[in-house]
Amino acid sequence: MSVRETDARSAHAEGVERLLASYRAVPVGAPVRLAKRTSNLFRSRTATGTTGLDTSGLTQVISVDPEAGTADVAGMCTYEDLVAATLAHGFAPLVVPQLKTITLGGAATGLGIESTSFRTGLPHESVVDLDVLTGAGEVVTASRDVHADLFRAFANSYGTLGYAVRLRIELEPIEPFVELRHVRFRSLDDLVATMDRIVETGMYDGTRVDYLDGVVFAADEGYLCLGTKTARPGPVSDYTRQRIYYRSIRHDEGVLRDRLTAHDYLWRWDTDWFWCSEAFGTGHPFVRRVWPRRYRRSSAYWKLMRLERRFDIGDRLERLHGRPARERVIQDVEVPIERCAEFLDWFLANVPITPIWLCPLRLRDDAGWPLYPLEPRRTYVNVGFWSTVPVGATEGETNRRIEREVGDLDGHKSLYSDAYYEREEFDRLYGGAAYRAVKERYDPDSRLLDLYAKAVRRR
């Protein structure tokens, strides 16, 4: 064991002790929450005066084992820090969610996805084992064989069953570069059918596909972005300066080629928060020149968005111009691939939001995950859309319509943003019976929030 690893393990042990001490300091009956400076959730929450749990000592990469192809990581470690450590060994996590400040624990308990998910599943599937601080104030090690009920129910529990203290995850080898092919489609049916064939074969036009996602700009303009690992040296693009990644994929016909370093590929969406940085004007050439490069990242835009929400700036401006207030429609949904084109047609006809992100996935664990019950080995497409629309006659009108349409197509919706389900429907969609059984065992006094209270009632 190296000196660095010894120091990291010692620091982690001290961090766990501080976490437990802060848990014991929370008065009985008071809500238990993490003390976090960053978040990638997009739902408002009821304020509380209770001091959050101290996670300051749980942010490090504990060790990377290239021979075993694993990494031990503290629960509050960001993917930005994890990727920096693993790339140094020629490895990457099986799934690297798009935003740098997403934490390992957050991705395991709140889901995550990226362009490897069509072959490697979701982030929680690459967890070998994890230590969880439960609602009972105990640190429990859970795996597929030990405390398997907690291990299975942890995904999509959003901290209501406990908090990840340490995770051991699988890694995969990575090459220094990624060669990209952006394939243009004028038909959504053709785009989805081609995506389906790539998921099944891992190939396109005779070349291996290691990374697969897509973007829809309109019914007659969609793209699949195909990435292939390579060690071949050569010039690469840089989308952290004036050029913007999502704009670079657009072209009239056929296939457009590009190359990125592996590092820049993994963070290609973070620089402009996909395309959401447009809300702050950073797509304008002048604004981009004067906007400091260190602030071209999702965490900076998120801080600005929090200020906007705190002072209701957007709605004030809408009223000033005589326009209605706006409803946030910030969602990721999973739709079976055979219904994906149908959903996209409905969405484009009913919700005035583009672009739309597409990311196919297949669970690789046949046992499944009860709180987000996608069918193992069935192909789904994550459809992501993040913007606002004029408010309707009722609260959350557009979001409710989307929830109904996704349900009608046998899909599921992630819970990181606003949800409007009634309790009975929520339990049916998100494993209510399984959740309650695990909740009673590991949080018998209900020290942690209930999932429905957190995801729908925004407590």
Side-chain angles (χ1 to χ4, degrees):
M1 186 180 298
S2 68
V3 173
R4 194 211 67 81
E5 184 177 339
T6 300
D7 290 344
R9 291 188 181 278
S10 177
H12 179 71
E14 292 175 3
V16 173
E17 288 303 316
R18 291 203 298 274
L19 175 71
L20 290 171
S22 66
Y23 178 91
R24 290 189 290 266
V26 177
V28 175
V32 176
R33 292 181 177 176
L34 298 181
K36 295 178 63 176
R37 290 182 296 175
T38 63
S39 173
N40 287 284
L41 296 180
F42 284 85
R43 56 172 180 263
S44 303
R45 296 184 63 185
T46 303
T48 175
T50 305
T51 302
L53 301 184
D54 183 354
T55 61
S56 60
L58 302 175
T59 62
Q60 67 274 62
V61 178
I62 301 168
S63 66
V64 177
D65 186 341
E67 292 187 8
T70 61
D72 269 31
V73 188
M76 294 295 293
C77 178
T78 66
Y79 273 92
E80 181 176 25
D81 291 340
L82 174 60
V83 164
T86 62
L87 285 182
H89 295 275
F91 283 82
L94 269 60
V95 182
V96 179
Q98 311 87 347
L99 307 181
K100 291 178 177 179
T101 56
I102 292 175
T103 63
L104 272 290
T109 193
L111 305 184
I113 193 169
E114 235 296 312
S115 59
T116 56
S117 289
F118 76 102
R119 59 182 178 82
T120 60
L122 299 180
H124 58 269
E125 294 192 280
S126 64
V127 175
V128 178
D129 59 54
L130 72 164
D131 297 338
V132 180
L133 172 63
T134 70
E138 302 171 342
V139 176
V140 172
T141 300
S143 70
R144 287 170 173 80
D145 301 315
V146 179
H147 294 291
D149 54 347
L150 177 60
F151 183 84
R152 291 284 171 191
F154 197 72
N156 209 45
S157 64
Y158 282 89
T160 65
L161 296 177
Y163 300 109
V165 176
R166 178 205 57 87
L167 307 94
R168 178 169 297 163
I169 64 167
E170 299 175 69
L171 307 173
E172 67 174 8
I174 194 169
E175 297 291 354
F177 305 101
V178 176
E179 293 185 344
L180 291 167
R181 291 173 289 170
H182 303 307
V183 186
R184 167 75 188 255
F185 293 87
R186 296 189 178 275
S187 160
L188 295 178
D189 287 329
D190 290 346
L191 183 153
V192 173
T194 301
M195 180 189 294
D196 198 13
R197 287 194 296 272
I198 295 172
V199 172
E200 293 294 334
T201 65
M203 304 285 288
Y204 178 79
D205 197 23
T207 300
R208 187 184 74 251
V209 176
D210 298 311
Y211 307 98
L212 172 61
D213 64 349
V215 180
V216 171
F217 291 92
D220 60 353
E221 186 187 2
Y223 302 86
L224 289 181
C225 303
L226 319 179
T228 302
K229 302 175 189 178
T230 181
R232 183 177 66 85
V236 294
S237 297
D238 182 353
Y239 295 105
T240 66
R241 297 179 184 273
Q242 286 299 105
R243 298 175 65 198
I244 297 173
Y245 176 72
Y246 87 93
R247 293 180 181 176
S248 75
I249 72 177
R250 304 184 78 173
H251 58 282
D252 289 336
E253 296 291 343
V255 179
L256 180 67
R257 297 181 181 273
D258 197 0
R259 297 178 85 252
L260 292 171
T261 65
H263 174 276
D264 285 356
Y265 176 80
L266 293 175
W267 301 127
R268 69 202 182 284
W269 293 122
D270 187 84
T271 301
D272 283 281
W273 210 9
F274 284 83
W275 34 80
C276 297
S277 66
E278 294 284 354
F280 308 104
T282 59
H284 190 281
F286 173 75
V287 176
R288 200 166 187 84
R289 278 196 298 272
V290 299
W291 193 289
R293 210 173 153 203
R294 66 183 179 277
Y295 295 134
R296 294 179 199 163
R297 51 183 289 140
S298 61
S299 56
Y301 305 129
W302 171 247
K303 290 177 182 177
L304 292 175
M305 179 171 283
R306 279 198 299 182
L307 287 174
E308 187 278 329
R309 288 164 57 184
R310 180 179 177 183
F311 296 105
D312 199 22
I313 297 171
D315 285 347
R316 290 173 185 267
L317 291 174
E318 294 298 312
R319 287 194 296 270
L320 185 65
H321 290 90
R323 296 190 293 260
R326 309 285 293 183
E327 174 187 349
R328 291 185 308 161
V329 182
I330 301 175
Q331 305 287 355
D332 281 75
V333 302
E334 270 79 43
V335 178
I337 197 166
E338 64 272 17
R339 310 298 296 274
C340 181
E342 181 181 352
F343 176 75
L344 291 172
D345 287 338
W346 175 87
F347 188 89
L348 289 169
N350 290 277
V351 184
I353 293 176
T354 55
I356 304 165
W357 188 56
L358 305 178
C359 187
L361 69 129
R362 293 183 91 170
L363 297 184
R364 59 192 182 100
D365 191 311
D366 289 333
W369 307 90
L371 273 58
Y372 205 66
L374 302 180
E375 294 181 29
R377 310 296 174 173
R378 185 181 189 183
T379 303
Y380 294 81
V381 180
N382 176 282
V383 185
F385 35 91
W386 317 292
S387 190
T388 63
V389 300
V391 296
T394 59
E395 181 191 6
E397 182 175 295
T398 298
N399 282 286
R400 293 174 191 268
R401 292 179 66 197
I402 292 168
E403 288 178 354
R404 290 193 296 270
E405 184 68 16
V406 170
D408 289 345
L409 298 178
D410 197 24
H412 292 269
K413 185 178 102 166
S414 298
L415 297 175
Y416 72 88
S417 188
D418 296 323
Y420 296 88
Y421 298 107
E422 296 298 328
R423 183 64 188 246
E424 183 177 347
E425 183 180 14
F426 185 88
D427 284 351
R428 177 177 60 82
L429 292 172
Y430 299 102
Y435 174 76
R436 283 189 291 274
V438 179
K439 182 78 167 172
E440 289 173 4
R441 181 179 179 187
Y442 295 96
D443 186 20
D445 298 322
S446 297
R447 296 295 307 278
L448 306 176
L449 282 173
D450 170 78
L451 182 59
Y452 184 77
K454 189 170 188 177
V456 180
R457 294 178 177 169
R458 304 171 197 168
R459 288 180 55 192

